[in-house]
């Protein structure tokens, strides 16, 4: 309990000192939700969407687990994440507290950014999301949030395991992976966006896709957290 309490105090300190950046995070989530919705305007069939919608969601949804901060803007020029870890180690703050602090950040960001993103996207009329009942759309949104959580684990691992340039490289690899995955699904005649909509309409909150992705997200966070802790124990922060 002390670990969670200490981590929460660190999160609250960040929230108080980063209010301007948090506002930009909210604006960004709203903008991307609107842009994604507009991209689907008048496209109510899977084949008319192509792989672009899948790529946007595969790339963008994991970003909902982040919020803008001075540290995130300077991670490449100042290696700010490594400097943060070194500062916490000197205080000293245990690696467990630092990791829980980062996980709480992600969960809060998903809660706020996710609500804004999916509500704005749903409000765009004339897309294949039209006429979905609340519980259907909730299942759809939670399916993608589960995917986002699944990717958050690796993001945190690479964020805490590497210096700025190496973290940038790992992010670019994830980006390329999203392109490849979207293209592969489309080449096989599928569409992830349409599939998740159809499964959500058919099964609602009993959707196997939703529960499967949420479970995968939890498992990924747990396993990557274990790996991150081990990496932090041995990492040289100089």
């Amino acid at each position: 309990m002390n670990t969670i309490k200490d981590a929460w105090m660190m999160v609250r300190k960040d929230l108080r000192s980063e209010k301007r950046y948090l506002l930009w995070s909210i604006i960004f989530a709203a903008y991307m939700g609107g842009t994604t919705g507009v991209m689907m305007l008048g496209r109510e069939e899977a084949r008319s969407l192509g792989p672009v919608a899948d790529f946007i969601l595969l790339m963008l949804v994991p970003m909902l687990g982040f919020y803008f901060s001075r540290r995130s803007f300077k991670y490449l020029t100042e290696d700010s994440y490594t400097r943060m870890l070194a500062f916490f180690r000197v205080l000293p703050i245990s690696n467990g507290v630092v990791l829980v602090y980062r996980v709480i950040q992600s969960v809060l960001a998903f809660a706020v950014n996710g609500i804004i993103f999916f509500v704005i996207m749903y409000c765009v009329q004339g897309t294949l999301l039209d006429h979905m009942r609340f519980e259907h759309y909730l299942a759809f949104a939670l399916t993608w949030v589960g995917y986002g959580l699944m990717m958050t684990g690796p993001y945190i691992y690479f964020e805490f395991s590497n210096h700025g340039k190496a973290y940038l490289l790992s992010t670019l690899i994830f980006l390329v992976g999203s392109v490849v995955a979207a293209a592969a699904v489309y080449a096989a005649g599928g569409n992830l966006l349409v599939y998740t909509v159809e499964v959500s309409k058919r099964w609602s909150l009993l959707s196997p896709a939703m529960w499967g992705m949420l479970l995968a997200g939890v498992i990924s966070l747990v396993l990557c957290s274990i790996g991150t802790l081990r990496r932090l124990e041995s990492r040289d922060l100089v």
Side-chain angles (χ1 to χ4, degrees):
M1 289 301 294
N2 286 336
T3 297
I4 296 176
K5 181 180 178 181
D6 292 344
W8 176 241
M9 290 177 60
M10 292 167 63
V11 171
R12 289 178 59 188
K13 182 178 182 297
D14 275 359
L15 293 176
R16 286 195 297 266
S17 63
E18 303 283 3
K19 293 179 180 178
R20 182 181 63 179
Y21 292 95
L22 294 176
L23 176 60
W24 281 110
S25 297
I26 292 172
I27 293 173
F28 176 76
Y31 172 77
M32 293 310 301
T35 300
T36 306
V38 169
M39 181 184 61
M40 295 187 289
L41 278 174
R43 300 183 177 187
E44 300 182 358
E45 297 180 359
R47 295 191 181 281
S48 67
L49 285 166
V52 178
D54 283 354
F55 164 66
I56 293 296
L57 287 172
L58 289 172
M59 174 192 69
L60 183 62
V61 171
M63 295 175 62
L64 299 178
F66 296 82
Y67 57 76
F68 295 149
S69 65
R70 295 185 186 90
R71 192 178 300 126
S72 63
F73 278 112
K74 296 181 179 181
Y75 83 89
L76 188 59
T77 57
E78 298 182 2
D79 200 7
S80 54
Y81 292 124
T82 300
R83 293 177 62 181
M84 175 195 72
L85 292 173
F87 175 72
F88 287 156
R89 184 174 290 180
V90 169
L91 283 180
I93 295 176
S94 71
N95 291 330
V97 172
V98 174
L99 180 61
V100 173
Y101 151 76
R102 185 62 185 84
V103 171
I104 292 176
Q105 276 187 328
S106 292
V107 172
L108 284 177
F110 267 116
V112 176
N113 293 336
I115 289 173
I116 294 170
F117 174 83
F118 286 106
V119 167
I120 295 295
M121 186 168 70
Y122 183 72
C123 287
V124 178
Q125 300 296 306
T127 74
L128 78 167
L129 303 177
D130 284 355
H131 312 302
M132 289 184 76
R133 298 207 304 264
F134 171 77
E135 61 271 23
H136 294 164
Y137 191 68
L138 180 61
F140 166 80
L142 288 176
T143 301
W144 283 99
V145 167
Y147 160 73
L149 288 173
M150 183 179 70
M151 298 304 298
T152 295
Y155 269 116
I156 292 176
Y157 176 81
F158 286 110
E159 177 184 306
F160 281 1
S161 300
N162 300 290
H163 292 283
K165 292 182 179 179
Y167 178 56
L168 174 63
L169 178 60
S170 65
T171 302
L172 293 176
I173 291 174
F174 279 127
L175 180 64
V176 173
S178 298
V179 174
V180 172
V185 171
Y186 181 72
N191 185 285
L192 294 175
L193 173 60
V194 174
Y195 170 75
T196 51
V197 169
E198 291 176 348
V199 171
S200 299
K201 284 183 176 179
R202 181 180 304 172
W203 293 93
S204 188
L205 294 177
L206 295 177
S207 167
M210 180 192 77
W211 288 109
M213 291 308 302
L214 289 174
L215 178 61
V218 171
I219 292 174
S220 173
L221 271 178
V222 171
L223 293 180
C224 289
S225 294
I226 294 172
T228 302
L229 280 175
R230 291 176 177 174
R231 178 71 177 109
L232 286 174
E233 293 294 335
S234 61
R235 184 182 172 190
D236 183 3
L237 298 177
V238 178

